[in-house]
Every structure is written in C-alpha cells, then in structure tokens.
C-alpha cells in the first residue's frame, strides 16, 4: 500500500464518517395545528435541525401505500414558505416539479418549512379536517427531505380548542408528541385528533385500542370479545406477533365501507347504524378481519415491489391477487373459523364471489396478474367499460386462495393447507431474509408445502384470462357447484339502466350481449321498448326495473324495438334478445363423499 492510497482511504473514511454524522445530526420535527379547522385546513411546520447543505429538496408523496393510485397529494398544499434559524430570515425556494420544493439554505443549520394542507376528502386514504375532528392521512400531509427517508421524525400535535384525544400507531412521547423511527413508519401511521370514543382490549399479547370517530350503535363489550377472537385466530396462523400495540381508527359514517392497512394500525369506514343488524355487524367484523390480516400479509410478507416504497411513482407488482385476494379469502374464512358464519352461510359467500367473477365479461379478457399490475390505471380508475375489460384481483384472488387451499389440503391428506404456505413465506421472507418475495418464490413455496406442481394453476388461472373450473377443486371436499340457471332460458337485453333525474339512462352495456351487438350505448336514454313507455321504476323489495320485468317475460331470439334518445336525437334500434349468460350458484354436499373427501371438507370448513 503506497502513501497516496493510504491518504485516499483516510479521506474516504473521513468523508463517509462525515456523511453518516451529518445524517445522524439532521433532525426533523413536525408541528400540526388547526387555525381554521372549519375551513378544512391543517397547518404544518416542518423544522429541520443540523442541516448541512447548500440546498435541500422537500417532497410530498404522490400516493398512499395500500391504495394503488397516484393521487397527487401536493395539489392540496398552499402558502408554502421557509424561514432560517433566526425565524425572521425568509429563505428562497423554487418548485422544480409537481411535488418538490428546492430550498436554498443560505447556510442556515436550522430551517422551518411551513405550509397549509386543504383536507376535505373523507376516506381511509385521504385527510379530512372540520371543526369536530381531524383525520391525518400522513402521505398527504407530511413532507420528506429527498434522500433522507431513513431519518426519525417527531410529530407534535396541537389539537384545536376542545379536542382532547389523539389516536395513532406512532410511538408516544410526552403530551401529544410522537416519534417515528423513519419516514416509512411516519407515512404508515395515520393520526386521528378529536373527541373519539376509545376502548381497549388485549389479545395475542398485544394491547389494542379502538378509536370510534362519530356516533354509532356499536356495543363496546361485544366488539371487544369478537375483535379479540379475530386477532387470536389470525395470529395463530403466523404464530408471531410483530406489534406490542395496535390501533383501530373507525370512521362511523352514514354509509361506510373500505379500510386501509398500516404497520400497527388500520383505518376502517363503518356505517354508523350498521352494528345493529346481524348482516351489518358481520360485515364490520369481516372488515376488521381483512385489515388485521394485512398486518402480516402485505405489510410484512410482501411482493418485492411493495417496500421500501417509491413515494414518487407507481410501484408495480403482479401479485396483488395474493396480497389483496388472499387477504379477502381469509377475511371470510376467519369469520367461518370463529362461527360468525355457519358452514352453509360461508359456502353462500363463496358463491357470491363466484358470481361476481364468472358473471363479469372482463374475466375472459384480463388475467388476474395483469389486473394487479394495472391496478394504478384500471382497478382504481374504473369507467363504464371496466366490467367488460377487467377483473378484480380481490374477488378472483380470493377464489384462487380457496382453490390453492383445497389443492394443498387434498394433496397432503388434510395435514396441511394454505395457512402453512403463508406461515412458511412469512418466516422465510419477512423474519429470515427481511425482503419481499418474487412471484416465482411464492409459487416455489406453495409447491414445496403441497408437494404438487402448480404450473397449470399459474398458467391457467393467474397468467391467463378465462373461467375457473371450480368443480374439480370443490370435488376434493366432496362438494358440488350447481348453477340454478342451468337449462333455463332467461332473455337478456345485456344492459344496465337506471332512472336518473326522471330519465331512464343506460349506465353499462355487457360485452357481446344483445345491446352491445346492436349498438345501444352508455348514456343513451331509453324512452320506450315495443311502444311501451319505461321509466326505470324499481318495485319496492325488488332489484329489477320495470324494463327488466318486461324483458324477463320475453324469450331469447325474439326481437324488441328500443326507442332511444342519444345526445338529444331520437333513434330506434331493433335488438334480438339473447339468452342471459349469467349464472346463479350454490354449493351442495355430495351424498357419497369418501372418507378422504370428508377429511378435506372438515379441515377447510373447520367442521
Ligand atoms: Zn386489503
């Protein structure tokens, strides 16, 4: 080693040490306050200390992990400004793209970035502020310093007058201050601020807090017992609990629905009066089961594209049918395992999924792997033609989860199931290798656990579009899938229309159906059919319109004359009715099930 090399090594060492040290010295703190909550604003101060650069870029994410759509959160940012250490020196900045502000530091070691965020989109993945409460969806409120996602952050909340509680999965410090070990944790920790009704329960060695936002007819004691059952049941699959605390933030609304998973919390949308009916209550528990299952599947056991996240762009994966679809399979299965569903009710729920998938024309067009990859531009951006061109990776993925489960249980003589694949994948890729899995690695593990080749399963069901042969898989459990419409000739016009402001308007046209072939379009107004005036009126307790009832009394092959208004011009279209291709399914036990088939059924349905 010559002197020059030694010098270079020393310089490099000093540089590395300095860079590391500079990183370690930079501290980021946020202050959230609410000067105008009634106008739906949150005021943000981002305080950077130990800055050692001529300029820094601060950025806002363009999407919220778990919700695969570029939402351009920076559209809600206004009154951006920067001050130096003194608090009076105003620092220059320039916006260099839609979500990046470049700040000239003028050698200030401490700078304060301030901005306001307009928050008026109530959903599990966006922020909402009014004079009653604030829901902070972090990717749309907090900014990060480019290249410094690994830094910890401290968040201090100054609640609006009269707001007494803060609920979040962030690590609590003193008062209303919280710490995130890095920005991935910060961006994965929503915050609810207001006067939410909170209660707690312990399950699987973890303290769970439920924050009920808004009124609702929920029963806290009943929920504590039932939610704990779900937690224990799901934990038993993975036999590992990554959290010591977990927070459910529940938004009770007129019409609820949807949830978003996070590392140690979740946000659920519930119908405020839905807890009172058996159906509504079970739906809520299904949502709990779904989002809680994500604690393992997707938040930790994940496709390689889903972490560490790129907050600037789409993050593409072909495996959402596993991350979302299998989670959707398990949410119902967990309800069955805990007797919230009887075996018969559970099979009915499976049939509903089969009808959603097989009655949708798009299932013949889009493979489920492609549905996953294109979630950003298709599933999250549906239009009037979506059902003709695509399939949900939730519903089809759930059915593929069921099929894989049945195949594994059958191949292992009821010794193993999909649970064993999920646990083995979690142990290998999350706990041991600490990385995401590839599609081939998931397949390899499922083949290892089951001892069978899954080439045909992947080729025909994952990478190809087309119908699923349910019967051969359900037969492993001695179960038969029956189509109630088999052999029945139901006439169909092949369109959906409804009464909008007094006009009977077509909202979708089914691919290859009668209306599709004869050229009836979405947005056409149906005035009359065969000289009969139809309005789209729906009889109480029926889901069909007056036109549906008229068509149901006709026969496939017959012609009807449809009088339309298209963009204000009248036209008549002669349509030949077709046989409705839709199915209505139910599952029956076969009378002569063998001992082996019964063993598969027993394990699958937890009999
Ligand atoms: Zn999900």
């Amino acid at each position: 080693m010559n002197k020059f090399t030694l010098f270079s090594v020393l310089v490099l060492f000093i540089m590395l040490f300095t860079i590391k040290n500079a990183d370690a010295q930079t501290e980021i703190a946020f202050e959230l306050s609410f000067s105008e909550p009634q106008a739906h604003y949150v005021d943000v101060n981002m305080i950077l200390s130990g800055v050692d650069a001529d300029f820094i870029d601060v950025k806002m994410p363009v999407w919220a992990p778990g919700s695969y759509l570029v939402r351009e959160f920076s559209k809600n940012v206004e009154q951006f400004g920067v001050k130096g250490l003194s608090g009076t020196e105003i620092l220059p900045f320039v916006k260099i793209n839609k979500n990046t502000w470049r700040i000239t530091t003028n050698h200030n070691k401490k700078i304060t970035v301030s901005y306001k965020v307009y928050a008026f989109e109530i959903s599990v993945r966006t922020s909402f502020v009014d004079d009653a409460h604030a829901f902070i969806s972090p990717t749309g409120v907090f900014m990060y310093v480019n290249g410094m996602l690994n830094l910890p952050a401290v968040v201090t909340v100054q609640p609006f007058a009269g707001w007494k509680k803060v609920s979040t999965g962030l690590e609590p410090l003193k008062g209303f201050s919280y710490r995130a070990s890095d920005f991935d944790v910060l961006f994965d920790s929503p915050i609810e601020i207001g006067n939410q009704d909170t209660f707690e329960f312990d399950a699987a060695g973890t303290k769970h807090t439920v924050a009920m936002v808004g009124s609702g007819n929920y029963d806290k004691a009943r929920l504590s017992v039932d939610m704990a059952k779900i937690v224990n049941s799901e934990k038993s699959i993975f036999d590992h609990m990554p959290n010591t605390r977990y927070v459910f933030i529940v938004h009770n609304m007129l019409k609820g629905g949807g949830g978003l998973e996070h590392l140690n919390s979740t946000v659920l949308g519930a119908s405020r009066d839905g807890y009172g009916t058996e159906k509504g209550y079970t739906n809520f528990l299904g949502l709990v089961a779904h989002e809680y299952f994500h604690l393992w599947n997707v938040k930790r056991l994940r496709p390689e594209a889903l972490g560490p996240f790129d907050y600037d762009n789409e993050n593409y994966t072909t495996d959402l049918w596993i991350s979302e679809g299998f989670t959707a399979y398990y949410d119902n299965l967990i309800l069955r395992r805990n007797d919230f569903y009887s075996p018969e009710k559970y099979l009915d729920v499976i049939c509903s999924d089969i009808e959603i998938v097989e009655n949708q024309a798009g299932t013949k067009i889009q493979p489920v792997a492609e549905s996953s990859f294109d979630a950003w531009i298709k599933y999250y951006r549906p239009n009037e033609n979506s059902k003709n061109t695509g399939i949900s990776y939730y519903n089809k993925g759930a059915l593929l989860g069921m099929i894989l489960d049945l195949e594994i249980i059958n191949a292992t003589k009821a010794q193993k199931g999909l649970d064993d694949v999920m646990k083995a994948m979690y142990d290998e890729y999350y706990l041991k290798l600490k990385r995401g899995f590839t599609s081939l690695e998931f397949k390899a593990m499922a083949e290892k656990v089951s001892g069978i080749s899954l080439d045909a399963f992947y080729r025909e069901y994952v990478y190809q579009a087309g119908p699923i042969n349910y019967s051969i898989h359900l037969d492993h459990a001695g179960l038969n899938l029956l189509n109630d419409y088999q052999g029945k000739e139901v006439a169909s016009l092949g369109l959906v229309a409804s009464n909008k402001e007094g006009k009977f308007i077509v909202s979708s046209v089914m691919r290859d159906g009668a209306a599709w072939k004869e050229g009836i379009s979405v947005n056409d107004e149906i005035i009359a059919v065969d000289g009969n005036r139809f309005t789209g009126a729906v009889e109480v307790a029926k889901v069909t319109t007056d036109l549906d009832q008229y068509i149901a009394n006709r026969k496939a092959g017959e012609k009807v004359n449809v009088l339309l208004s298209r963009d204000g011009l009248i036209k008549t279209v002669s349509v030949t009715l077709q046989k409705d291709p839709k199915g209505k399914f139910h599952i029956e036990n076969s009378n002569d099930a063998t001992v082996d088939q019964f063993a598969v059924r027993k394990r699958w349905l937890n009999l």
Side-chain angles (χ1 to χ4, degrees):
M1 184 184 283
N2 64 34
K3 237 167 126 180
F4 183 73
T5 311
L6 181 64
F7 179 73
S8 305
V9 169
L10 269 172
V11 168
L12 186 67
F13 179 77
I14 290 165
M15 275 175 65
L16 279 172
F17 182 77
T18 315
I19 289 165
K20 191 166 181 282
N21 214 26
D23 238 28
Q25 279 177 351
T26 305
E27 288 173 13
I28 302 180
F30 290 95
E31 293 169 356
L32 298 184
S33 59
F34 304 89
S35 57
E36 296 174 296
Q38 82 293 343
H40 319 295
Y41 280 94
V42 50
D43 305 300
V44 185
N45 282 332
M46 178 186 192
I47 302 146
L48 304 162
S49 311
V51 177
D52 188 16
D54 292 340
F55 70 86
I56 55 167
D57 289 343
V58 298
K59 298 176 72 70
M60 181 167 270
V62 302
W63 70 291
S67 184
Y68 306 102
L69 176 68
V70 170
R71 292 179 192 273
E72 315 290 23
F73 293 120
S74 57
K75 70 187 175 186
N76 295 317
V77 173
E78 61 177 76
Q79 300 179 53
F80 186 95
V82 193
K83 285 181 178 167
L85 176 63
S86 64
T88 52
E89 183 187 359
I90 292 173
L91 299 182
F93 67 88
V94 60
K95 218 176 158 186
I96 59 170
N97 65 27
K98 64 185 179 183
N99 64 327
T100 309
W101 289 256
R102 177 161 292 173
I103 298 166
T104 302
T105 63
N106 288 351
H107 304 296
N108 278 278
K109 296 262 177 279
K110 183 175 177 182
I111 61 177
T112 300
V113 178
S114 58
Y115 53 94
K116 282 171 172 277
V117 177
Y118 178 64
F120 192 53
E121 192 177 348
I122 187 83
S123 84
V124 295
R125 61 262 172 138
T126 52
S127 297
F128 181 87
V129 176
D130 70 6
D131 50 11
H133 78 115
F135 173 65
I136 302 297
S137 181
T139 46
V141 170
F142 297 113
M143 293 193 190
Y144 63 99
V145 179
N146 200 20
M148 294 192 186
L149 282 166
N150 58 328
L151 290 186
V154 171
V155 177
T156 301
V157 179
Q158 294 166 15
F160 185 59
W163 295 357
K164 295 191 174 59
K165 284 184 189 173
V166 175
S167 303
T168 176
L170 288 169
E171 177 194 335
L173 300 172
K174 271 196 341 200
F176 288 139
S177 286
Y178 303 86
R179 182 179 183 278
S181 53
D182 59 40
F183 273 70
D184 287 318
V185 171
L186 179 68
F187 287 143
D188 220 337
S189 304
I191 307 170
E192 176 65 40
I193 310 153
N195 293 316
Q196 55 271 27
D197 182 16
T198 52
F199 62 95
E200 291 176 350
F201 66 89
D202 289 320
T206 295
K207 184 175 144 187
H208 295 76
T209 302
V210 183
M212 286 289 191
V213 183
S215 60
N217 61 350
Y218 52 87
D219 175 339
K220 289 191 252 188
R222 187 183 180 200
L223 276 178
S224 298
V225 171
D226 290 343
M227 288 168 81
K229 281 185 191 170
I230 290 167
V231 167
N232 286 322
S233 187
E234 294 187 347
K235 188 249 172 182
S236 73
I237 295 171
F238 295 92
D239 196 26
H240 181 260
M241 199 67 187
N243 296 319
T244 53
R245 56 188 287 268
Y246 189 93
V247 178
F248 295 90
I249 296 171
V250 185
H251 289 153
N252 292 300
M253 294 175 293
L254 185 62
K255 223 176 152 195
L260 191 61
E261 66 278 6
H262 297 284
L263 276 166
N264 68 343
S265 63
T266 185
V267 186
L268 310 176
S271 297
R272 66 171 70 104
D273 294 322
Y275 302 93
T277 65
E278 213 44 49
K279 186 168 184 281
Y281 186 69
T282 314
N283 280 349
F284 178 75
L285 292 183
L287 185 58
V288 168
H290 183 98
E291 300 307 333
Y292 206 83
F293 195 80
H294 274 315
L295 189 160
W296 296 274
N297 191 31
V298 97
K299 291 316 309 180
R300 291 174 175 85
L301 169 61
R302 57 176 174 77
E304 57 181 353
L306 296 184
F309 297 116
D310 176 352
Y311 294 104
D312 238 5
N313 297 289
E314 291 86 350
N315 291 221
Y316 295 105
T317 172
T318 54
D319 289 324
L320 288 178
W321 61 277
I322 297 171
S323 299
E324 282 301 344
F326 285 17
T327 302
Y329 171 59
Y330 272 101
D331 63 36
N332 286 321
L333 191 62
I334 293 296
L335 295 190
R336 166 61 216 121
R337 286 182 184 171
N338 290 281
D339 280 322
F340 296 115
Y341 281 153
S342 67
E344 296 73 26
K345 172 68 188 169
Y346 177 67
L347 293 176
D348 286 346
V349 171
I350 296 280
C351 286
S352 301
D353 258 341
I354 293 176
E355 284 163 18
I356 288 169
V357 171
E358 299 304 328
N359 290 345
Q360 187 162 317
T363 200
K364 296 185 185 134
I365 303 295
Q366 186 187 46
V368 76
E370 189 183 301
S371 165
S372 166
F373 193 87
D374 281 340
W376 302 83
I377 54 168
K378 293 195 172 176
Y379 184 81
Y380 274 90
R381 286 182 182 167
N383 65 15
E384 67 285 345
N385 199 40
S386 292
K387 287 190 171 158
N388 289 324
T389 192
I391 194 66
S392 159
Y393 48 81
Y394 282 87
N395 302 104
K396 186 161 180 182
L399 292 170
L400 294 188
M402 172 191 81
I403 287 168
L404 198 51
D405 204 3
L406 283 167
E407 287 303 314
I408 298 167
I409 299 172
N410 182 57
T412 60
K413 300 219 173 304
Q415 296 307 300
K416 288 180 177 164
L418 187 58
D419 286 12
D420 298 275
V421 178
M422 301 308 284
K423 175 169 168 44
M425 286 296 294
Y426 181 78
D427 289 350
E428 182 71 12
Y429 292 96
Y430 175 67
L431 291 178
K432 191 173 148 202
L433 299 177
K434 304 183 194 318
R435 66 168 174 85
F437 60 82
T438 67
S439 305
L440 283 177
E441 284 166 345
F442 195 96
K443 176 172 180 275
M445 185 65 87
E447 288 181 330
K448 187 177 163 194
V449 170
S450 63
I452 55 173
S453 165
L454 293 171
D455 286 351
F457 173 91
Y458 270 78
R459 188 178 59 245
E460 290 168 23
Y461 294 161
V462 178
Y463 295 117
Q464 275 176 23
I468 293 173
N469 189 342
Y470 301 96
S471 295
I472 57 167
H473 307 291
L474 287 167
D475 183 62
H476 296 323
L479 297 168
N480 298 324
L481 181 72
L482 299 165
N483 183 355
D484 299 348
Y485 289 170
Q486 190 82 40
K488 283 186 187 163
E489 286 274 320
V490 181
S492 166
L493 200 48
L495 59 77
V496 176
S498 60
N499 192 309
K500 283 184 190 157
E501 295 168 0
K503 291 181 175 176
F504 192 22
I505 305 290
V506 177
S507 58
S508 69
V509 173
M510 188 180 65
R511 185 178 213 108
D512 294 332
W516 170 286
K517 288 188 171 158
E518 311 289 355
I520 296 178
S521 300
V522 166
N523 295 335
D524 284 351
E525 178 191 353
I526 297 176
I527 299 169
V529 177
D530 293 341
N532 299 295
R533 188 86 161 94
F534 291 103
T535 62
V538 178
E539 270 184 46
V540 178
K542 282 193 179 171
V543 289
T544 54
T545 63
D546 50 3
L547 175 61
D548 294 329
Q549 288 157 42
Y550 178 77
I551 297 295
N553 289 325
R554 306 295 301 267
K555 287 198 167 55
E558 289 181 5
K559 275 193 185 312
V560 294
N561 288 310
V562 183
L563 183 67
L564 299 172
S565 167
R566 179 176 298 170
D567 191 31
L569 300 178
I570 303 295
K571 80 186 258 168
T572 304
V573 181
S574 175
V575 180
T576 306
L577 297 178
Q578 291 190 356
K579 178 179 178 298
D580 194 339
K582 292 192 173 80
K584 172 106 181 64
F585 298 98
H586 74 274
I587 294 174
E588 277 185 2
N589 296 339
S590 58
N591 293 328
D592 51 358
T594 64
V595 173
D596 285 349
Q597 284 173 317
F598 188 73
V600 173
R601 191 192 305 170
K602 187 170 185 303
R603 180 176 173 118
W604 179 41
L605 298 178
N606 197 37
L607 301 175

